[in-house]
Amino acid sequence: SATAYSSITYASGMYILSGLTTNVVHTIKVNADNYTSSTDTIALSVTPNATTIVNAGSVSLMHQRGSVTVSVTTDDGAMVTPSFYVDGSATAYSSITYASGAYILSGLTTNVVHTIKVNAANYTSSTDTIALSVTPNATAIVNAGSVTLTRHKGTLTVTLKDSAGALLTNTSYSLSVSGTTYTGTTDTNGQASVNNIATSATAVIASVTGYNNTSGTIAWTGTTGIATITLAGNGSTSSTFTVVDQNGDYLGGATVSLTGGGTTLTQATTADGKVTINGLTSGIAYSYTVTMMGTSSESGTISAGQSKTAHLSANTGNYFFITISDNSANATYIQFTYSGYSVRVPLRPTMSMRYTTNIKPTEIYQITSNAGTCTPSTRQIGSGNPVTIAIN
């Protein structure tokens, strides 16, 4: 019959169909929404005019099943072999086929909402939800859309060495990884660290002034990457220093000393605070020290082909007052010089200031400028004393 039987009661976990004709074989079809129908056959034999209940046995209904398709991409364009986890299961789903660029998960329960988690090694998992609805007894493939997996990111630490194997400490660098450039200064261990690097990166190119660009291989352990790169010199044989005080004014007569490769080279800065030291060996790091009377010192490393600006701070007890009463010569700086030591002071529009400097108290200094004549041209400068200068 196409009409559902109506003379049904329910008791003790069983359905009772009453009013059936006796002494014949009945076919009983059991149906429920979202389940596949099941049919049972029972011969109903009873004594005439007697009441009997015959056990037709048990019928199991199978929930209807359907399929979904999921497309999987990655943010770095790499091909992966993903695993799928359905509805929170810790076990990867196994009823999967691949066709036309998509994964088909079959055998999923219909007319419910499924959560599909997509996972791949070295990528962050992504979750999709899909309501799988089909017409009873029909086969459906529902498109769950596309899932994009993001490559794990990590920290890359690169150790830089010169051609002799010495660490390039406190050295400016440029690192290129997967087309992106990162700049900075190495630490006291010669290391450069950059964050947010995709763990799919396999190589890094290091660029350091005075050296040839060199590539290194990245080794990843989880999200920690390391590389060690030894750089060869590019043939440069000199380095330039600029020495300034805490005001940024140029210091002449500062001593710059370089040690490396078994040699020590020492020169003094000229009146403009600069010095170029020649005769260096390309490709090795030199230790340097910059000193000057009345100031702090600075130390570090430098290689041929590189330039450094050293900052020396004057003793706070050494100071004097400068006032420019006339600058009709339009000078841009004045310079105080004593016995090979000098400080060059750029002129400001209004020049009346307390000036902390490396100048040694009680000595007589020559006063010059880059234009015109300074009056006075010499002066004994004691700490705390004022000096008024005309330039014309």
Side-chain angles (χ1 to χ4, degrees):
S1 172
T3 303
Y5 200 74
S6 60
S7 298
I8 300 174
T9 56
Y10 183 79
S12 302
M14 301 284 286
Y15 292 92
I16 301 172
L17 283 70
S18 58
L20 294 174
T21 303
T22 60
N23 296 318
V24 295
V25 176
H26 293 281
T27 299
I28 302 173
K29 180 180 180 181
V30 183
N31 194 27
D33 289 344
N34 302 319
Y35 287 83
T36 302
S37 300
S38 183
T39 301
D40 198 10
T41 302
I42 182 70
L44 183 57
S45 301
V46 297
T47 303
N49 301 319
T51 300
T52 185
I53 297 178
V54 179
N55 187 355
S58 177
V59 173
S60 294
L61 300 181
M62 223 29 175
H63 205 298
Q64 290 175 335
R65 304 288 172 171
S67 301
V68 299
T69 63
V70 181
S71 298
V72 179
T73 59
T74 60
D75 64 341
D76 58 0
M79 296 295 295
V80 295
T81 301
S83 298
F84 298 85
Y85 299 84
V86 177
D87 298 334
S89 173
T91 303
Y93 201 74
S94 58
S95 298
I96 301 174
T97 55
Y98 183 78
S100 302
Y103 293 88
I104 302 173
L105 283 68
S106 57
L108 295 174
T109 303
T110 59
N111 295 321
V112 296
V113 176
H114 292 285
T115 299
I116 302 172
K117 179 180 178 182
V118 185
N119 195 25
N122 299 318
Y123 288 82
T124 301
S125 301
S126 185
T127 301
D128 198 8
T129 56
I130 183 68
L132 184 57
S133 302
V134 297
T135 303
N137 302 317
T139 300
I141 298 181
V142 179
N143 186 358
S146 178
V147 170
T148 298
L149 301 179
T150 302
R151 184 77 189 201
H152 287 165
K153 301 293 194 300
T155 299
L156 171 63
T157 300
V158 182
T159 301
L160 300 179
K161 297 182 178 181
D162 66 13
S163 57
L167 296 172
L168 293 176
T169 61
N170 302 310
T171 300
S172 296
Y173 65 81
S174 173
L175 299 179
S176 177
V177 184
S178 302
T180 301
T181 299
Y182 306 85
T183 60
T185 302
T186 59
D187 60 18
T188 55
N189 296 314
Q191 293 183 333
S193 293
V194 288
N195 299 315
N196 206 33
I197 303 297
T199 57
S200 56
T202 58
V204 53
I205 300 173
S207 300
V208 175
T209 301
Y211 294 85
N212 295 321
N213 294 351
T214 306
S215 178
T217 300
I218 302 173
W220 290 99
T221 301
T223 56
T224 300
I226 59 172
T228 298
I229 300 177
T230 298
L231 298 101
N234 64 5
S236 300
T237 58
S238 64
S239 291
T240 299
F241 280 82
T242 301
V243 182
V244 298
D245 65 11
Q246 74 282 353
N247 301 305
D249 299 332
Y250 299 109
L251 299 177
T255 299
V256 180
S257 180
L258 274 66
T259 301
T263 62
T264 298
L265 301 172
T266 301
Q267 285 183 234
T269 57
T270 55
D272 60 0
K274 300 181 185 297
V275 63
T276 296
I277 300 179
N278 299 305
L280 304 182
T281 300
S282 180
I284 68 170
Y286 287 79
S287 299
Y288 74 81
T289 302
V290 182
T291 58
M292 189 173 186
M293 68 170 186
T295 69
S296 62
S297 61
E298 181 179 298
S299 299
T301 58
I302 193 171
S303 300
Q306 296 178 355
S307 298
K308 288 280 185 181
T309 297
H311 298 81
L312 306 184
S313 297
N315 186 325
T316 56
N318 292 348
Y319 67 92
F320 63 100
F321 294 94
I322 301 174
T323 299
I324 303 299
S325 61
D326 179 16
N327 187 14
S328 57
N330 295 318
T332 58
Y333 67 80
I334 55 175
Q335 188 151 312
F336 298 88
T337 304
Y338 162 74
S339 188
Y341 297 96
S342 68
V343 57
R344 180 175 292 184
V345 183
L347 296 179
R348 284 77 171 179
T350 300
M351 191 69 179
S352 182
M353 59 177 291
R354 169 176 166 148
Y355 191 80
T356 301
T357 179
N358 66 303
I359 287 181
K360 188 176 180 181
T362 73
E363 301 296 346
I364 296 176
Y365 286 80
Q366 292 181 323
I367 305 174
T368 58
S369 66
N370 65 317
T373 301
C374 293
T375 305
S377 60
T378 62
R379 177 67 183 268
Q380 184 181 43
I381 300 176
S383 183
N385 292 335
V387 55
T388 299
I389 303 169
I391 310 171
N392 44 45

